[in-house]
Amino acid sequence: MNRKRALISDTFNLKKRRKGSEKFGAGNDKDEPKDIKSTLEYLMTLFPRKLFNDTLPQVVLKHQLYSIHNDKTLVDKEVNKLRECGELLMFQLGFDSEAFGLVFTSDYKTKVLAGEEGKGTRTTVEKFLEKVLPSCTDLSFSKDKMLKVFLFTDSEITQLVKSGVLTVREAGSWWLSIPNSGKFTKYFIQGRKAVLGMVRKSKYGEVLQADLEERRTTSQVKFPLRYHVHDIVGAELVER
Amino acid sequence: MSAADTRAARVLSLTLDPDRDVDRIHGNGINTIDIEAVEGRYMLSGGADGVIVIYDLENYSGKLQYTCKAVCTVGRSSRHVHKFSVETVQWYPFDTGMFVSSSFDKTMKVWDTETLKPAEVFQFEGNVYSHHLSPIARKHSLVAVGTNNPKIQLCDLKSGSRIHVLQGHRAEVLSVRWSPRYEHILATASADSKVNVWDVRRASGSLFTLDQHNGEKSKASAEAVNTAHNGRVNGLCFTSDGLYLLTTGTDDRMRLWNSASGENTLVNYGKVCNESRKKLQFAVSRGCSPDFVFVPCGSSVAVYALHTGELVTMLRGHYNNVDCCEFHQDHQELYSGGKDSNILAWVPVLRTADVEDESNNDNKGAAGLSAVNPAFQDAWSSDED
């Protein structure tokens, strides 16, 4: 809904933006930790492992980092550095071309291999994890690359897709993905919509962050509220 | 503190000028403004009603409060006025005797400032979104015109001919800009999400097209390969040294590119709201360290630091959408025009007196100090002027 005429109060900034009330002691993560890695670790703790019966590695979205650190370009650079040295993996999550999921490589490996226990695809997946992940920081792979550079056969690629490590992007190219992440995406989008709704429905369309975090969430919201708050602030769906 | 730092300090303290008004002539939204490069004294504005107005920005009234008077107007009563909204106006870069305007009435008119009559009219087949004359060209006098048609026309002011056409885009061309560094380099932005950089001396196609992923095919979905944005690209601006190019698109992103290599510098400005279906006119400061970008964002103007991408401040003051903004290089002032038919002037709050007579030098330093951010106080204790 686009108002044809902006409200006078908008011009004169009468509406005080009160969402950034963390300064008043409610949260302790606004203290500008310069280290991106520790922020990542903190955000990972917000991820609900029990919800997925521990089958998923902890996932954080790249824009959640923007809600904690002010300098987005710096965040991007640091994330790329971590990816270069192989500690972090980035995934295209699919529901938004700009939403990238970040997972620690060690976490990813353990979970994927645990999920592959007893399955026939196990060896192929292991081979993939050993060969491809350390050498290549891409988000997607084309058929050419898989066949020629990494020397996988067609049937092995099918096995990788079946196990969930690769998802089809288009004919002849695949995204790197997290197995069983469908549930994650579904709950995430649901929860995001619900939290946004909570903010929009409140009086004047604003909420104190401390207040919001204390509210009872509907059954739609399966993740801890803070996780969603970092997400919507970082993605600039709300203003702090 | 160097001069560049002082200029940056002035930009950081921009607020709405309480003492200066710009004459309100337009009855409708203002689409484009341009300040002449020679003296920085006259400003052109083009409006949605087809009217073009010239203002005198200097204050000779001797009073603190003054209005920038409209010197002359090409109003609705003129025989030569544009029939529909004027989308771009630009002064002839070398003197104020001439200016060029283009409009949705599918024409581009070259005006004589004295008589306010068009010396030349170029007719096109589609709406003209944008035109630009090179600010430094000595060897040519070409005007690049971006229209509804994917082909970019180059019109020659000296001969009136328009045979030179640049082909390469697939959808309407929303913005065209010459490089302020090389007079033969032209950048064009189109609704097909691509930005092409051309050398007009070459007979074949563009030099290169900007790729937001810098060749990393893995990051993009297949359709997004070799695109500058994930949506229509509607704003182009070179930095004043011509080394970098800024582009804005309807995917709510602004990107900074190295203009020589076409590489995306990956500076992340965050979400730069952009709903414009036409071109967006934004401005970059010059000679400040660090440099700033001023982008119209809804009904305010967002100020970002150029190389770090940090949002410095939002300048609020317009009652409706802001369509264009222009930075006055010499005074570090910003003028913005919007749908509310107002042109607002934003000045650094450090200055209290805005009177343009030299004898008032002592006024500038002392009285302004109380309003100054303590971090910049030291800069003013040494007499900058």
Side-chain angles (χ1 to χ4, degrees):
Chain A
M1 173 187 78
N2 244 330
R3 289 201 202 94
K4 271 203 188 149
R5 281 170 269 279
L7 295 180
I8 301 282
S9 52
D10 270 343
T11 314
F12 293 108
N13 211 7
L14 287 177
K15 282 194 191 167
K16 295 191 204 95
R17 308 264 153 209
R18 280 173 292 136
K19 200 160 191 281
S21 66
E22 286 203 283
K23 294 182 210 135
F24 301 124
N28 56 0
D29 48 311
K30 202 50 177 97
D31 285 296
E32 288 287 340
K34 289 300 171 187
D35 189 11
I36 302 285
K37 191 151 182 218
S38 48
T39 325
L40 270 177
E41 281 162 9
Y42 158 69
L43 287 170
M44 296 277 184
T45 58
L46 293 177
F47 181 86
R49 302 167 68 160
K50 274 206 290 197
L51 189 57
F52 303 104
N53 285 335
D54 233 10
T55 50
L56 275 190
Q58 290 152 315
V59 188
V60 164
L61 286 102
K62 190 161 88 154
H63 57 254
Q64 286 174 324
L65 290 169
Y66 300 153
S67 71
I68 301 183
H69 291 265
N70 272 330
D71 192 349
K72 297 191 180 81
T73 321
L74 197 62
V75 169
D76 284 346
K77 282 202 183 112
E78 291 290 315
V79 167
N80 279 335
K81 262 204 262 183
L82 288 170
R83 284 175 65 213
E84 295 290 317
C85 60
E87 284 185 29
L88 200 61
L89 288 172
M90 192 155 95
F91 302 91
Q92 173 64 277
L93 289 176
F95 54 85
D96 187 355
S97 62
E98 300 261 350
F100 295 105
L102 301 170
V103 183
F104 281 122
T105 320
S106 44
D107 271 349
Y108 182 73
K109 280 195 178 151
T110 30
K111 296 293 183 210
V112 170
L113 288 175
E116 289 294 311
E117 281 303 316
K119 287 204 194 146
T121 48
R122 195 194 162 149
T123 36
T124 331
V125 173
E126 264 178 19
K127 185 175 157 198
F128 180 77
L129 291 177
E130 301 302 310
K131 274 180 98 175
V132 180
L133 285 189
S135 53
C136 180
T137 55
D138 282 347
L139 272 72
S140 83
F141 305 95
S142 69
K143 192 161 186 189
D144 251 356
K145 216 172 180 178
M146 292 295 278
L147 291 177
K148 299 198 182 129
V149 180
F150 299 120
L151 302 171
F152 279 100
T153 61
D154 260 342
S155 60
E156 287 183 320
I157 300 181
T158 323
Q159 287 182 352
L160 289 172
V161 175
K162 213 168 124 193
S163 67
V165 175
L166 289 180
T167 345
V168 172
R169 175 180 153 189
E170 49 170 20
S173 97
W174 299 272
W175 294 114
L176 185 66
S177 88
I178 308 167
N180 304 321
S181 61
K183 242 185 175 183
F184 166 75
T185 319
K186 178 172 151 201
Y187 290 152
F188 180 77
I189 297 180
Q190 252 181 13
R192 189 197 244 192
K193 247 166 88 177
V195 174
L196 277 176
M198 274 163 70
V199 177
R200 285 196 196 122
K201 279 190 230 158
S202 40
K203 198 174 185 197
Y204 305 121
E206 14 176 278
V207 178
L208 286 179
Q209 186 165 342
D211 204 29
L212 182 66
E213 287 171 4
E214 270 160 40
R215 288 206 196 167
R216 262 181 45 218
T217 57
T218 65
S219 62
Q220 292 279 349
V221 181
K222 307 246 190 304
F223 289 83
L225 202 49
R226 270 232 177 138
Y227 193 79
H228 281 298
V229 167
H230 281 301
D231 162 52
I232 54 183
V233 171
E236 296 190 67
L237 294 166
V238 289
E239 247 181 66
R240 218 187 203 136
Chain B
M1 261 201 156
S2 71
D5 292 327
T6 327
R7 278 181 230 129
R10 288 158 64 89
V11 171
L12 286 170
S13 59
L14 278 178
T15 57
L16 201 49
D17 189 354
D19 301 323
R20 184 191 330 196
D21 246 335
V22 176
D23 230 0
R24 196 174 162 165
I25 307 282
H26 285 282
N28 227 316
I30 295 166
N31 283 333
T32 170
I33 50 182
D34 187 41
I35 301 176
E36 45 107 0
V38 182
E39 263 185 284
R41 181 175 167 182
Y42 294 103
M43 179 164 75
L44 260 180
S45 74
D49 45 7
V51 168
I52 301 172
V53 188
I54 302 177
Y55 308 87
D56 180 347
L57 296 178
E58 302 235 323
N59 177 14
Y60 289 115
S61 67
K63 287 185 289 196
L64 202 58
Q65 292 240 345
Y66 75 104
T67 309
C68 295
K69 286 277 167 221
V71 170
C72 47
T73 319
V74 177
R76 302 288 333 153
S77 53
S78 156
R79 230 175 1 122
H80 308 286
V81 73
H82 279 287
K83 294 193 181 51
F84 296 123
S85 99
V86 175
E87 290 303 310
T88 320
V89 284
Q90 190 189 1
W91 286 106
Y92 183 58
F94 306 113
D95 65 60
T96 53
M98 189 162 89
F99 62 89
V100 188
S101 68
S102 63
S103 141
F104 272 179
D105 68 356
K106 308 184 191 178
T107 62
M108 179 169 78
K109 298 192 181 175
V110 181
W111 301 81
D112 176 338
T113 322
E114 287 296 309
T115 59
L116 283 187
K117 290 208 181 80
E120 185 83 56
V121 177
F122 292 93
Q123 193 72 35
F124 295 95
E125 283 134 22
N127 288 344
V128 183
Y129 283 107
S130 163
H131 76 259
H132 199 231
L133 287 96
S134 170
I136 47 164
R138 291 285 175 192
K139 297 210 189 81
H140 70 81
S141 49
L142 294 172
V143 188
V145 186
T147 68
N148 218 320
N149 191 319
K151 297 194 206 156
I152 299 145
Q153 301 247 9
L154 295 177
C155 303
D156 189 346
L157 282 183
K158 285 214 182 77
S159 60
S161 73
R162 17 186 299 204
I163 32 176
H164 200 161
V165 165
L166 299 174
Q167 294 209 33
H169 281 296
R170 295 212 188 102
E172 42 193 23
V173 180
L174 295 173
S175 183
V176 292
R177 242 19 215 187
W178 292 91
S179 159
R181 197 178 176 88
Y182 302 111
E183 60 181 78
H184 295 286
I185 302 290
L186 175 71
T188 59
S190 161
D192 65 0
S193 316
K194 297 213 170 109
V195 175
N196 281 343
V197 177
W198 314 77
D199 180 336
V200 297
R201 295 168 297 187
R202 266 164 65 125
S204 52
S206 59
L207 281 180
F208 49 84
T209 174
L210 298 181
D211 179 7
Q212 57 177 313
H213 301 288
N214 280 340
E216 270 186 53
K217 297 225 173 2
S218 66
K219 274 220 182 118
S221 57
E223 315 86 54
V225 168
N226 267 353
T227 55
H229 282 266
N230 292 327
R232 301 151 71 96
V233 189
N234 54 17
L236 277 183
C237 191
F238 276 95
T239 54
S240 47
D241 52 15
L243 295 174
Y244 292 99
L245 175 64
L246 276 161
T247 60
T248 56
T250 52
D251 59 347
D252 291 344
R253 299 268 173 260
M254 180 159 72
R255 300 194 209 275
L256 183 69
W257 311 80
N258 178 324
S259 62
S261 63
E263 186 198 335
N264 185 352
T265 59
L266 297 175
V267 178
N268 192 333
Y269 298 95
K271 187 165 165 188
V272 181
C273 288
N274 188 340
E275 290 171 344
S276 172
R277 303 207 71 229
K278 314 179 291 187
K279 78 161 209 274
L280 190 68
Q281 181 184 350
F282 59 101
V284 184
S285 68
R286 177 178 71 193
C288 299
S289 122
D291 271 320
F292 300 97
V293 191
F294 305 93
V295 189
C297 222
S299 61
S300 40
V301 180
V303 184
Y304 292 93
L306 184 66
H307 290 288
T308 66
E310 179 197 344
L311 174 63
V312 172
T313 180
M314 296 281 272
L315 300 173
R316 283 176 224 274
H318 278 280
Y319 296 126
N320 209 325
N321 282 346
V322 180
D323 283 320
C324 52
C325 59
E326 181 78 7
F327 190 65
H328 193 304
Q329 307 288 9
D330 301 324
H331 300 150
Q332 284 88 52
E333 291 160 356
L334 184 71
Y335 290 88
S336 58
K339 281 207 177 56
D340 56 359
S341 336
N342 278 331
I343 298 182
L344 294 180
W346 308 83
V347 287
V349 77
L350 301 165
R351 288 212 314 204
T352 49
D354 215 348
V355 182
E356 287 296 310
D357 48 10
E358 310 302 316
S359 59
N360 261 1
N361 255 335
D362 33 299
N363 232 356
K364 287 186 185 161
L369 276 181
S370 50
V372 170
N373 190 324
F376 300 119
Q377 237 165 14
D378 277 336
W380 286 98
S381 58
S382 66
D383 220 319
E384 169 58 23
D385 286 300

